[in-house]
């Protein structure tokens, strides 16, 4: 310990100090040593491991100390993610911390960086949808739409992306944009009933959409047919169909 205090750049001493504190059950003290080690390390690999270790120790601290150390845990994981966001479970841990804090903007930014490292199309689409939801919750609706558009550009029939896009459009009272998405969803629901069951939230949005469009009397016969035949056939939105009965006849 005296050697580490005498020369904070002595990486070997700091690493030994951190490990000793871990063995003694001093998680916070060990995290401090790893933080110092991360600042002193000469290579990205060593900095990455040290920041990650510090973040884990702080995030996993006892409940009574976890809250006060949460900010330090986030900072440590952010430093590690700057070096390699795909390292071990950095992405998962930092995402969870952002979600707990309600830091939707930071979460969206993290997701964007993670997406840049992913090659698998399925995973990229899923991450884009998550990013869009985080942006929407942060109030950046234009960026959220861009994220959903990016997902649908890769997989036009991705149910999760379509649901999210429909929710976003309906929440903004953009029923014209929502209309085409609901039609696509209606067709998919008819073909993939086992994979997609309309949620209460979706039902409410469709209800609002039907009533708004019925009042304006601008829906086409083809859209009316899809709603009646594909949504109505599966018992979806009976209340909406009843409310708009005069239009659906």
């Amino acid at each position: 310990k005296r050697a580490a205090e005498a020369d904070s750049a002595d990486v070997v001493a700091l690493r030994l100090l951190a490990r000793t504190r871990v063995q003694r059950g001093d998680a916070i003290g060990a995290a401090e040593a790893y933080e110092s080690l991360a600042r002193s390390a000469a290579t990205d690999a060593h900095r990455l491991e040290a920041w990650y270790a510090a973040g884990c120790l702080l995030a996993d601290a006892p409940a009574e100390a976890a809250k006060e150390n949460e900010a330090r845990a986030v900072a440590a994981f952010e430093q590690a993610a700057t070096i390699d966001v795909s390292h071990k479970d950095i992405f998962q841990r930092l995402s969870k911390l952002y979600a707990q804090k309600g830091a939707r903007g930071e979460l969206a930014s993290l997701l964007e960086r993670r997406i840049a490292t992913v090659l698998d199309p399925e995973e990229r689409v899923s991450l884009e949808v998550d990013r869009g939801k985080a942006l929407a919750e942060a109030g950046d609706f234009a960026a959220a739409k861009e994220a959903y558009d990016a997902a649908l550009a890769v997989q036009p029939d991705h149910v999760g992306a379509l649901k999210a896009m429909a929710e976003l459009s309906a929440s903004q009272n953009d029923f014209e944009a929502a209309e085409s998405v609901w039609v696509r969803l209606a067709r998919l629901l008819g073909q993939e009933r086992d994979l997609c069951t309309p949620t209460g939230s979706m039902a409410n949005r469709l209800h609002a959409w039907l009533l708004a469009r019925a009042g304006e009397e601008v829906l086409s016969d083809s859209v009316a047919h899809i709603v009646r035949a594909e949504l109505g056939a599966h018992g979806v939105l009976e209340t909406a169909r009843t409310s708009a009965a005069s239009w659906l006849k």
Side-chain angles (χ1 to χ4, degrees):
K1 181 177 179 180
R2 286 194 295 273
E5 291 174 344
D7 184 4
S8 62
D10 187 340
V11 173
V12 174
L14 284 168
R15 186 178 290 113
L16 179 60
L17 175 59
R19 290 173 179 171
T20 299
R21 287 176 174 175
V22 168
Q23 292 171 356
R24 292 177 178 175
D26 182 6
I28 303 305
E32 292 174 351
Y34 276 121
E35 287 170 328
S36 296
L37 174 59
R39 297 185 186 99
S40 302
T43 68
D44 280 347
H46 290 159
R47 282 191 287 271
L48 174 62
E49 287 293 345
W51 282 124
Y52 175 74
C56 290
L57 287 164
L58 291 163
D60 298 338
E64 62 272 12
K67 189 169 184 178
E68 65 186 74
N69 290 299
E70 182 179 288
R72 285 173 60 196
V74 168
F77 284 133
E78 285 177 338
Q79 290 286 348
T82 299
I83 300 170
D84 183 1
V85 71
S86 64
H87 180 70
K88 295 184 178 179
D89 60 348
I90 288 175
F91 172 72
Q92 291 81 0
R93 282 179 171 272
L94 189 51
S95 296
K96 182 178 179 180
L97 288 169
Y98 281 152
Q100 290 173 344
K101 290 175 56 182
R104 302 303 178 186
E106 290 86 345
L107 177 57
S109 178
L110 176 67
L111 284 161
E112 184 174 18
R113 287 158 57 192
R114 177 63 176 144
I115 289 167
T117 70
V118 174
L119 299 178
D120 179 65
E122 291 276 352
E123 186 177 357
R124 286 180 66 90
V125 167
S126 179
L127 289 170
E128 284 287 12
V129 173
D130 289 343
R131 186 170 75 91
K133 290 178 179 178
L135 287 164
E137 291 179 11
D140 194 343
F141 303 116
K145 183 180 182 301
E146 290 178 1
Y148 298 146
D149 282 336
L152 291 169
V154 178
Q155 291 187 17
D157 291 337
H158 190 277
V159 171
L162 287 169
K163 280 185 178 182
M165 181 69 89
E167 286 286 336
L168 177 66
S169 298
S171 70
Q172 298 298 295
N173 293 323
D174 188 354
F175 291 104
E176 184 174 355
E179 178 179 330
S180 62
V181 184
W182 292 133
V183 171
R184 290 164 68 182
L185 270 172
R187 290 173 176 146
L188 287 171
L189 289 172
Q191 296 168 7
E192 303 182 27
R193 283 175 249 170
D194 57 326
L195 298 179
C196 180
T197 301
T199 63
S201 177
M202 180 191 290
N204 291 335
R205 293 301 183 194
L206 275 169
H207 188 185
W209 168 66
L210 279 171
L211 294 178
R213 286 320 212 187
E216 295 174 18
E217 297 181 352
V218 296
L219 278 174
S220 66
D221 289 340
S222 60
V223 173
H225 172 74
I226 289 169
V227 173
R228 183 171 52 247
E230 298 191 6
L231 292 180
H234 304 308
V236 179
L237 296 181
E238 190 60 36
T239 57
R241 295 177 67 247
T242 300
S243 301
S246 61
W247 166 73
L248 285 169
K249 289 180 181 178

